[in-house]
Amino acid sequence: MALDRIVALVDMDCFYVQVEQRKNPELRGKPCAVVQYKTWKGGGTSLQFENAFSTKPRFNILQLCILWSRGDAVCFCSLIFKIFLVSIIAVSYEARDFGVTRTMRGDEAKEKCPDITLVRVPEARGKANLTHYREAGAEVIAVLSRFCDNCERASVDEAYIDLTETVKIRMSGMEINEIAEKSAATTFLEGYMIDDGNAQTVDYDAWRTSVEGDEDICRLAVGAIIVSEMREAVLKETQFTCSAGIAHNKVRIQNFLWEWDLEKMLAKLGGGRHKPNKQTLLPQSFVPKLFETVPIKKVRNMGGKLGVEVRSSLCAEKMSDLAKYSLGELQARFGDKTGEWLYQLSQGVDRDPVRPRQLPKSLGCGKNFPGKGKLATTDQVKYWLEQLAGELQERLSKEAELNNREARLLGVGFKTEANTSFTRSCHLKDSSAAQIARDLYNLLLPFNSTKDNKSNTWYPGIVVLQISASKFEEVSETSTPSISSFFKTKTPAEITTNASKMEIVSPALILNENVADEFSSCLQDKISECSGGNKELTKRSETASNCQLNDKQSVTKRGIEAFFSECGKSSKLKNEQRKCRNPYQDCQIDCTVLKSLPDDIQREIRQSLVKSDLERSPRKQEAKFFSLQASSSVSGVCKDTQADVDKVVDGARGSYSNETDLGDDELVKCEKCRMKFSPWEMPEHLDYHFAVDLQNIERNSSETSRCSAEPPKKKQKTTIQSFFARK
DNA sequence: CATTACATCGCT
DNA sequence: AGCGATGTA
């Protein structure tokens, strides 16, 4: 029963790019790519990123700060410092036409395609954050699973769908003619296309005959019709295009065709046919012919060591070479299990089932610290564990809310400069990011084999650090979702006992399509109120909040309502909540909001920032800033106890390596404080200035702020009022 | 020195 | 269960 199943693979077209294009529709149809920082400098050649900016080519440092923080389509560090390199992780099809590929560096892409727009991957806590893409992927899966419940999330942008049952049901109500026509109209039919020299057309008569005479072809055809409907729904509901393949199993035949397209494209033999926004049906009868072109190493699970082993020991490069060996021969060489798997695969048969699973089995994050960036002190290790733990905890909270499951296993893995790797794990309690970081640190501690126990040294240095949470268990759905998971800061009890700790609440967290309109108008009212009737200012602010609200977050309306009802229930909470938690009433603002303000308003703010006094000791302030970052999430900042701060401060300091053996000429000077840093420290350093400037605005405006009812001892909250009060 | 950042599989 | 290896975009 090799052909019993009908299986589709849906693969999003250059997914990260599409996600960015949906956020910023101006990028649609243009050559663009998503990039992330490489953490090392190289080349030193002058990079030409100027035209990535839509405005003038020269910026002062703060403008760049804002642009950078907004994650706009720039790599401005390259502009200023000319040594910061970015690597490409996704490429639009327009840019592919110029030969731009994944893993290329930003400057190479610019060479190949001068008009390319480079969009930075979002960053938080000093590392890439792929949350947007995961969430967009979840949107897609949600649409797909409405059509068929046997849906397997294969990666952030790919899903397998077992359509066998769905096809069976659908087929009973369809005429052969309808099946043949509809499938031919939507699908590239491998083996039934006629190339008239210019275009590919379906040999319809042959197709019609096959659909009628071959039940498996007919089932594939019905599958293709369903898949085209699914893709249509995905496009309509998410604005994303995808490509798909329909076959009898999970072998990613579609991918081979896409690769094939790429080769042809590079050889200038004509454009690709199977991607983007296309679907392809693969009859089993076409597999032998296809396999003559399919490199073994492109087959799933053959991209690594096994693939090398197979190819070298069998003198086989294409799948058709593999098909020359008997079952016995392959089993003798690779063992019964693998041998059989290889044999069947060579015949175009793959038993691997589609597993109905839309959620990943584990969540994790990590960062590489190559070369001199290695973590070589205990403080560096602690600092980065806290950053990673912060992200993980945030994602775990979301997971509990959205999917009612909690992880029971916490793991850490790392690679040392000696090229040795280890993983360790322990029980994961329901705990804070700080606790997670502590547990992780304890797991790592035995691997610090530095001889001098007194020193801060970590040896051998860590070049890769990854953490993960797994062994998820279902938890009962709570009737009242916890506030902390929405605001990712503290539980209500902690807020009550320690409300004065709360400084900034991010309206960005509220952003959600369901509540966007309501919140948007509230926000606009507040802005309008704060801008003191200045109509022009109000108008511009509206644009800003709309822009901000386009950014979908996965917070549910139910959750928001629950939060406010919780606020209402507790009279103790009420007052403090009013003051510091409820953005409907207080309209507090954080960096995220500032970053989305229109240029004119930003300029106003900038002017006030330029005037502000800088701390005499930027380094010290910087450490403080990072201690806040380290001990809280991006969007909710709360003070920790002084002891905690001190602890993390050391970690933050340790993360700076410009007192190491970098030559002076390799350092770059910060225009704002004249201090020198290694280039990879620059982004975080600039972030620090951003934060300091924010604090200064807030300090300077506290007397005039209408929100200054707090005792002077308490730190003033940063509010929209305080921004506009300076005018 | 240098792709990065995940995720799952398979062995003991 | 714990951990290292392998695989992927």
Side-chain angles (χ1 to χ4, degrees):
Chain A
M1 295 300 118
L3 311 183
D4 53 352
R5 294 179 296 159
I6 304 294
V7 176
L9 170 61
V10 170
D11 181 303
M12 306 309 292
D13 304 322
C14 54
F15 190 45
Y16 290 8
V17 170
Q18 283 205 77
V19 173
E20 297 300 335
Q21 286 174 329
R22 187 175 71 172
K23 270 199 276 195
N24 180 2
E26 277 186 22
L27 297 177
R28 290 215 168 106
K30 289 184 183 167
C32 55
V34 176
V35 299
Q36 74 187 137
Y37 284 109
K38 266 192 169 170
T39 53
W40 57 286
K41 65 189 173 56
T45 52
S46 172
L47 304 180
Q48 313 274 310
F49 277 95
E50 281 82 355
N51 58 0
F53 294 95
S54 53
T55 45
K56 9 170 220 191
R58 301 298 312 174
F59 294 82
N60 73 26
I61 194 80
L62 187 63
Q63 279 176 304
L64 291 169
C65 235
I66 290 168
L67 279 171
W68 169 53
S69 306
R70 282 171 56 169
D72 272 356
V74 293
C75 175
F76 78 93
C77 283
S78 299
L79 175 72
I80 314 172
F81 304 115
K82 306 201 178 203
I83 47 177
F84 233 93
L85 297 188
V86 295
S87 59
I88 291 176
I89 56 176
V91 190
S92 80
Y93 282 82
E94 291 81 2
R96 290 185 199 196
D97 291 343
F98 288 86
V100 178
T101 61
R102 227 185 120 265
T103 73
M104 216 175 242
R105 279 169 310 158
D107 54 332
E108 296 173 276
K110 277 280 173 183
E111 263 173 42
K112 298 232 175 202
C113 178
D115 291 332
I116 195 168
T117 306
L118 301 176
V119 185
R120 271 186 60 241
V121 67
E123 276 179 48
R125 303 181 182 83
K127 61 179 289 299
N129 186 325
L130 308 179
T131 304
H132 287 330
Y133 309 124
R134 287 194 199 93
E135 289 176 353
E139 285 180 52
V140 174
I141 288 267
V143 176
L144 295 177
S145 34
R146 281 212 322 266
F147 289 79
C148 176
D149 48 15
N150 195 347
C151 202
E152 176 180 340
R153 175 196 191 273
S155 74
V156 70
D157 75 331
E158 281 184 333
Y160 292 104
I161 302 144
D162 188 328
L163 291 167
T164 311
E165 290 307 309
T166 315
V167 163
K168 199 183 280 178
I169 295 164
R170 182 69 177 270
M171 211 162 100
S172 60
M174 290 183 84
E175 299 290 333
I176 293 293
N177 275 335
E178 187 190 359
I179 295 171
E181 278 167 27
K182 280 193 175 166
S183 55
T186 55
T187 310
F188 191 96
L189 305 165
E190 208 61 62
Y192 292 84
M193 305 303 282
I194 305 167
D195 193 341
D196 69 0
N198 253 335
Q200 301 266 335
T201 52
V202 175
D203 179 352
Y204 186 76
D205 290 341
W207 176 246
R208 168 73 177 73
T209 306
S210 286
V211 170
E212 182 159 32
D214 184 330
E215 175 154 1
D216 289 328
I217 294 275
C218 185
R219 289 161 62 231
L220 286 173
V222 175
I225 293 168
I226 295 167
V227 167
S228 77
E229 292 164 359
M230 293 169 95
R231 290 176 50 242
E232 205 173 304
V234 167
L235 178 60
K236 193 175 167 202
E237 295 171 42
T238 69
Q239 306 175 39
F240 298 135
T241 69
C242 57
S243 295
I246 301 95
H248 288 296
N249 54 49
K250 277 169 90 172
V251 173
R252 299 197 295 183
I253 289 150
Q254 310 82 13
N255 281 21
F256 310 149
L257 298 170
W258 299 334
E259 290 289 333
W260 186 24
D261 289 345
L262 186 65
E263 279 171 34
K264 283 177 68 176
M265 200 183 76
L266 292 176
K268 303 218 189 316
L269 291 177
R273 298 167 301 163
H274 301 89
K275 223 176 186 293
N277 201 12
K278 296 204 171 44
Q279 62 180 60
T280 302
L281 182 152
L282 183 80
Q284 194 68 7
S285 60
F286 192 73
V287 170
K289 197 168 176 191
L290 175 71
F291 274 10
E292 289 174 20
T293 72
V294 172
I296 292 171
K297 65 174 166 192
K298 292 292 179 190
V299 174
R300 190 167 54 111
N301 296 327
M302 300 290 268
K305 286 189 178 177
L306 177 62
V308 171
E309 178 82 9
V310 167
R311 282 180 291 146
S312 66
S313 72
L314 301 182
C315 290
E317 279 305 316
K318 304 292 188 191
M319 284 301 284
S320 53
D321 301 331
L322 189 59
K324 291 168 191 157
Y325 292 85
S326 70
L327 171 61
E329 286 168 327
L330 292 174
Q331 284 183 320
R333 182 67 191 77
F334 301 102
D336 284 359
K337 213 175 150 209
T338 309
E340 186 181 358
W341 178 76
L342 279 171
Y343 176 75
Q344 296 204 337
L345 205 61
S346 74
Q347 309 301 307
V349 174
D350 177 19
R351 296 289 187 190
D352 191 25
V354 175
R355 296 169 182 82
R357 193 196 63 215
Q358 296 174 34
L359 303 175
K361 290 178 178 173
S362 67
L363 302 184
C365 56
K367 184 167 170 64
N368 292 3
F369 305 93
K372 283 180 181 168
K374 75 186 174 204
L375 307 185
T377 67
T378 55
D379 290 337
Q380 283 180 310
V381 173
K382 281 180 195 169
Y383 173 75
W384 284 106
L385 281 177
E386 297 200 37
Q387 304 312 299
L388 295 174
E391 178 181 330
L392 188 63
Q393 201 270 345
E394 197 169 292
R395 285 168 61 187
L396 287 172
S397 297
K398 212 174 267 186
E399 203 61 28
E401 284 306 329
L402 258 46
N403 301 318
N404 298 313
R405 57 181 194 153
E406 289 175 356
R408 296 286 172 243
L409 191 72
L410 175 66
V412 59
F414 65 99
K415 196 164 121 181
T416 70
E417 53 190 329
N419 216 16
T420 51
S421 301
F422 303 92
T423 59
R424 286 295 181 268
S425 56
C426 66
H427 184 68
L428 172 58
K429 304 165 283 298
D430 177 32
S431 55
S432 66
Q435 184 58 46
I436 289 174
R438 273 195 293 276
D439 290 344
L440 293 170
Y441 186 71
N442 287 332
L443 290 173
L444 286 185
L445 218 39
F447 293 92
N448 182 3
S449 54
T450 185
K451 279 141 205 163
D452 183 2
N453 261 358
K454 268 245 155 184
S455 81
N456 190 24
T457 311
W458 190 285
Y459 182 84
I462 291 174
V463 294
V464 175
L465 184 58
Q466 300 177 329
I467 71 173
S468 70
S470 56
K471 293 213 186 309
F472 280 97
E473 284 178 8
E474 293 276 329
V475 290
S476 59
E477 194 162 350
T478 49
S479 54
T480 310
S482 82
I483 291 168
S484 60
S485 58
F486 285 102
F487 294 92
K488 303 178 187 75
T489 51
K490 298 283 175 180
T491 64
E494 285 168 308
I495 293 166
T496 309
T497 55
N498 227 341
S500 64
K501 284 184 179 178
M502 304 310 302
E503 290 178 11
I504 302 176
V505 172
S506 170
L509 280 181
I510 312 294
L511 302 183
N512 176 285
E513 52 190 337
N514 296 324
V515 293
D517 287 346
E518 189 188 354
F519 182 62
S520 174
S521 73
C522 277
L523 184 59
Q524 282 165 24
D525 286 348
K526 278 293 171 189
I527 290 172
S528 161
E529 189 187 315
C530 298
S531 59
N534 181 330
K535 287 222 172 85
E536 182 56 25
L537 212 49
T538 306
K539 202 177 145 204
R540 283 189 247 127
S541 307
E542 280 170 14
T543 319
S545 58
N546 280 334
C547 156
Q548 168 109 359
L549 289 162
N550 282 336
D551 224 326
K552 282 192 210 161
Q553 301 280 321
S554 54
V555 178
T556 62
K557 186 172 185 181
R558 187 176 60 98
I560 299 293
E561 285 165 351
F563 168 66
F564 287 113
S565 101
E566 189 78 11
C567 293
K569 269 190 283 183
S570 162
S571 58
K572 264 195 203 169
L573 280 179
K574 245 180 196 165
N575 287 335
E576 295 297 347
Q577 296 285 359
R578 284 257 165 74
K579 271 185 274 185
C580 68
R581 301 290 302 177
N582 188 335
Y584 282 86
Q585 294 173 29
D586 203 21
C587 197
Q588 295 180 355
I589 189 165
D590 74 351
C591 294
T592 319
V593 172
L594 175 60
K595 287 166 217 157
S596 64
L597 294 176
D599 291 344
D600 291 352
I601 295 178
Q602 283 184 24
R603 201 166 300 128
E604 301 249 0
I605 297 170
R606 170 171 53 82
Q607 281 163 6
S608 69
L609 290 178
V610 170
K611 278 190 292 182
S612 69
D613 292 326
L614 271 180
E615 293 283 337
R616 282 293 150 250
S617 169
R619 264 314 243 293
K620 199 174 156 197
Q621 274 300 311
E622 186 159 12
K624 241 185 213 163
F625 167 61
F626 279 111
S627 79
L628 290 177
Q629 274 210 324
S631 57
S632 62
S633 72
V634 182
S635 34
V637 178
C638 66
K639 276 189 210 162
D640 269 327
T641 65
Q642 193 55 42
D644 280 345
V645 170
D646 287 342
K647 193 196 80 194
V648 192
V649 163
D650 289 336
R653 238 187 233 122
S655 78
Y656 284 90
S657 58
N658 83 358
E659 279 141 21
T660 65
D661 47 359
L662 265 194
D664 191 62
D665 54 330
E666 291 175 276
L667 300 177
V668 288
K669 191 157 66 178
C670 171
E671 295 298 326
K672 212 150 183 199
C673 65
R674 307 276 161 189
M675 295 205 46
K676 290 193 171 179
F677 295 90
S678 54
W680 50 86
E681 292 169 345
M682 216 47 187
E684 290 174 26
H685 175 72
L686 293 177
D687 220 355
Y688 148 70
H689 278 305
F690 195 87
V692 169
D693 291 342
L694 266 184
Q695 284 181 4
N696 283 330
I697 295 182
E698 153 194 317
R699 214 169 283 140
N700 293 343
S701 62
S702 56
E703 302 99 281
T704 47
S705 168
R706 277 180 278 164
C707 284
S708 55
E710 302 279 333
K713 226 171 137 186
K714 284 182 188 171
K715 200 158 193 182
Q716 206 56 50
K717 285 168 289 193
T718 306
T719 62
I720 285 184
Q721 284 94 328
S722 65
F723 281 123
F724 293 105
R726 288 196 59 79
K727 279 190 45 54

